[in-house]
Each structure stands twice: as C-alpha cells, then as structure tokens.
Amino acid sequence: MNAEHDLSILASFLRRMAPEVEGHDMGDPPGDIRARLDAFAAGRAGAGERAALAALLKEHPEWIRHLGRAIRARAA
Amino acid sequence: MPTDESPAFHAADFEFAQDLLEGDKAAWRRFDTEMKPAILSRLLAQGASPADAGEVLGIVMEKLWAHQKLAAYSGGGPLAGFLRAMASNAWLELLRKHRRMVPATSLADDGDGSDPIERLARDEAAAPQETPLAQLLRDALLHAMSRVDAEALLVLRLSLLQEVKQRDLCLLWGGCHEGTISRKKQEAMEQIRDETLAYLARREPTLQITWQDLLEACGEGADAILGPSQ
C-alpha cells in the first residue's frame, strides 16, 4: 500500500463526488477558529487542543487548507 | 481535449478508443481479443457467475456501441481500467436490478396493505439509477473516513493533500519522532482501506471488490462510473 498514491486517487474522486468533504477552499474559518488554528500552526497547541482541533477539522475539512497554508507560511 | 503533453495521457489507448467509436473493424476485432477477456476476468473475480458475466459484458457492449459510452474516455488512464470500472458499474446495476425483482407471491402478501405496483414504483424510484458504483464507493469512503482516528486523519490530510513537511508535523505534534508521523499516516490509510472494504462487503456482499479494483474505479475508471451510464 502506497498511502500517498492511494489518498491522492481517493481525494480526487471525492472532490468530484463529495466536494463538501475534499472540495475547494471555502474561505477562511470564523475568527475564533482561525485564531486556534493559527496557534496550532505556531506550535502552541498542547495534546488536548490538538485532539479537539483534529475532531473539529474532521467535521469541517474545508478549514484544513487554512491550517496547511498557515503551517507552510511559518515553515518557509 | 487531452494533450500529448499531459504525463498521464495514454495516447495509444485514446487513439484506440477513437477507432472504436468510428466503428473501425480492426479495432473491434482487437477489442474482442484483448478487452473482452479482461472484462470477463474482472467480473468473475468480483463474484459474477459465468452467465452473469456474459450478461454484463453484453450490457457493456451495448453501452459502448449503441450509447457511444467510450466518448467519455479521455485517455487519463489505461483504457482497460476504464472498461473494467464500467463493467463493475454494470455488474452492480444488474445485482440491484435482480434484488428489485420481487416474486409475484411476495407482492401479494407484503402485509402493509399497500398496492404492490405502487410499492414497485416506489422501490424503483428510490434506487440509484445512473452511477451506482460511484455512489456506493463515495458512501463507503465517507463512512471509512468518519471512523478513522481524527488526529491520524488530520496528519494524513496535512501531509499528503496540503504538502506539509513531515518535520513540521513533528514539531506541531510535540516534537515527536518522524517515525511516529509516518506510522500515523500508514495506520490511517490502512484503516480507511479496511473500513471501506468492510462497508462494501456489508452493503454489497455479492460484489467482491478489492482495494486495487476500488482504486482503479476511483482513478482511471472515474470517467466511466461518474457520468450517466446510458
């Protein structure tokens, strides 16, 4: 099993079949959520907050792009 | 229109499909010797009896020929994958059609007092008609993703879909070792695979689909199963 290859195929399929799950950027999350995601991206989230945010992002995958961008921006 | 510059473009297969669409006799002879056995083999592996496989192959041929279904093939993957996915879709359609065929005796004594013809019409309307395999795979994948550990799924998505580097994920996850992140990703993907296949086995026990079949259907076969099958 090649996780990268497999997930890439499935994500592409779901973007067509269920755009609400793996779809396009839906814009920035609400302010309070954005602040928590930015803190996470800055490495300031403890285990409890990580778990809470992971559960939140499972329900709202459209906000993951914001988190990804925030992490990449800090790493650059 | 696909271009030769696309790395995934299968030019020879695309030309082959165009020849088939134009009714080229040599192309159809080649189809009979190369593609038909591949389709039959896939159907038998997915639990179809030889008779069912023959019936499904006939449906596939009708769609390809009479409905010009091949026009949906864009060359984005091997033609064989497109055809196998199309055959799996037709097999699932046939399975569901068989399930909806209620014997006359059971029509008479359903017990709820409703008109049997109305019940049949209701069942027919409720059944997905156009993209049964795509709908089934979507439902299975969404179910599987709902079952995966939230943190592992987040790691997987950040790493593989958002291209966040592994070392950055380690920092975010309390300075853990890179092996921990790799393991989380692998375990999440394995869980998605196992939950997906388990869901499919529950929902469609006769459709014996493997993980490779599923990836093929979602990838190179997506054009075959996403559009209207008529």
Side-chain angles (χ1 to χ4, degrees):
Chain A
M1 169 180 254
N2 179 333
E4 186 166 359
H5 169 260
D6 293 3
L7 186 67
S8 166
I9 288 174
L10 300 183
S12 242
F13 175 75
L14 287 176
R15 269 194 289 275
R16 293 174 69 176
M17 280 302 286
E20 72 282 8
V21 177
E22 297 293 344
H24 302 296
D25 197 342
M26 304 287 281
D28 284 340
D32 56 329
I33 304 296
R34 195 164 62 237
R36 290 172 66 191
L37 293 176
D38 289 344
F40 180 27
R44 297 197 304 268
E49 175 66 351
R50 277 201 305 271
L53 283 174
L56 183 66
L57 291 170
K58 193 173 177 183
E59 297 301 314
H60 293 279
E62 70 273 18
W63 295 337
I64 292 176
R65 282 176 188 238
H66 175 89
L67 178 60
R69 273 198 303 268
I71 297 168
R72 290 196 304 273
R74 288 187 166 271
Chain B
M1 181 73 182
T3 69
D4 289 354
E5 286 144 25
S6 167
F9 182 58
H10 291 244
D13 277 4
F14 185 74
E15 283 179 26
F16 181 29
Q18 298 311 300
D19 289 343
L20 292 168
L21 281 167
E22 288 164 14
D24 181 273
K25 286 183 179 169
W28 279 102
R29 277 196 299 276
R30 183 181 156 204
F31 184 93
D32 287 346
T33 56
E34 292 181 16
M35 297 299 172
K36 277 187 179 175
I39 293 172
L40 284 171
S41 169
R42 168 59 57 86
L43 290 167
L44 293 171
Q46 287 184 343
S49 67
D52 283 339
E55 185 175 349
V56 172
L57 179 61
I59 294 169
V60 169
M61 294 304 295
E62 186 192 347
K63 287 179 176 177
L64 287 173
W65 182 245
H67 300 288
Q68 298 279 290
K69 178 71 182 174
L70 264 178
Y73 175 65
S74 64
L79 179 59
F82 178 95
L83 293 170
R84 283 193 294 257
M86 199 179 150
S88 297
N89 193 56
W91 171 220
L92 182 58
E93 280 179 318
L94 188 69
L95 281 172
R96 291 184 170 176
K97 185 179 167 190
H98 283 170
R99 261 208 307 271
R100 290 195 300 272
M101 291 169 70
V102 185
T105 48
S106 70
L107 278 178
D109 60 2
D110 190 62
D112 68 355
S114 63
D115 184 319
I117 301 303
E118 279 180 13
R119 280 205 306 277
L120 268 182
R122 198 172 56 218
D123 291 347
E124 191 71 22
Q129 295 297 308
E130 292 189 338
T131 60
L133 186 59
Q135 301 280 351
L136 176 66
L137 297 183
R138 182 201 63 178
D139 292 348
L141 289 167
L142 294 183
H143 168 79
M145 289 169 80
S146 77
R147 307 268 296 177
V148 175
D149 173 77
E151 283 195 59
L153 186 62
L154 180 58
V155 166
L156 193 66
R157 282 170 154 158
L158 285 173
S159 173
L160 303 183
L161 301 179
Q162 296 298 317
E163 298 179 343
V164 172
K165 291 189 171 63
Q166 194 131 312
R167 66 168 183 272
D168 294 326
L169 289 172
C170 292
L171 291 173
L172 297 181
W173 259 265
C176 69
H177 191 272
E178 285 201 23
T180 305
I181 296 294
S182 296
R183 203 161 43 250
K184 271 185 189 290
K185 287 195 295 190
Q186 190 66 24
E187 284 171 1
M189 206 60 225
E190 286 171 4
Q191 197 181 351
I192 288 174
R193 177 196 61 196
D194 295 345
E195 294 281 358
T196 301
L197 294 177
Y199 179 94
L200 291 172
R202 281 195 305 275
R203 279 278 307 273
E204 293 291 343
T206 314
L207 181 73
Q208 293 164 27
I209 195 165
T210 68
W211 185 242
Q212 284 311 314
D213 293 348
L214 184 145
L215 289 174
E216 183 177 82
C218 292
E220 61 207 53
D223 286 339
I225 65 169
L226 281 172
S229 56
Q230 295 305 308

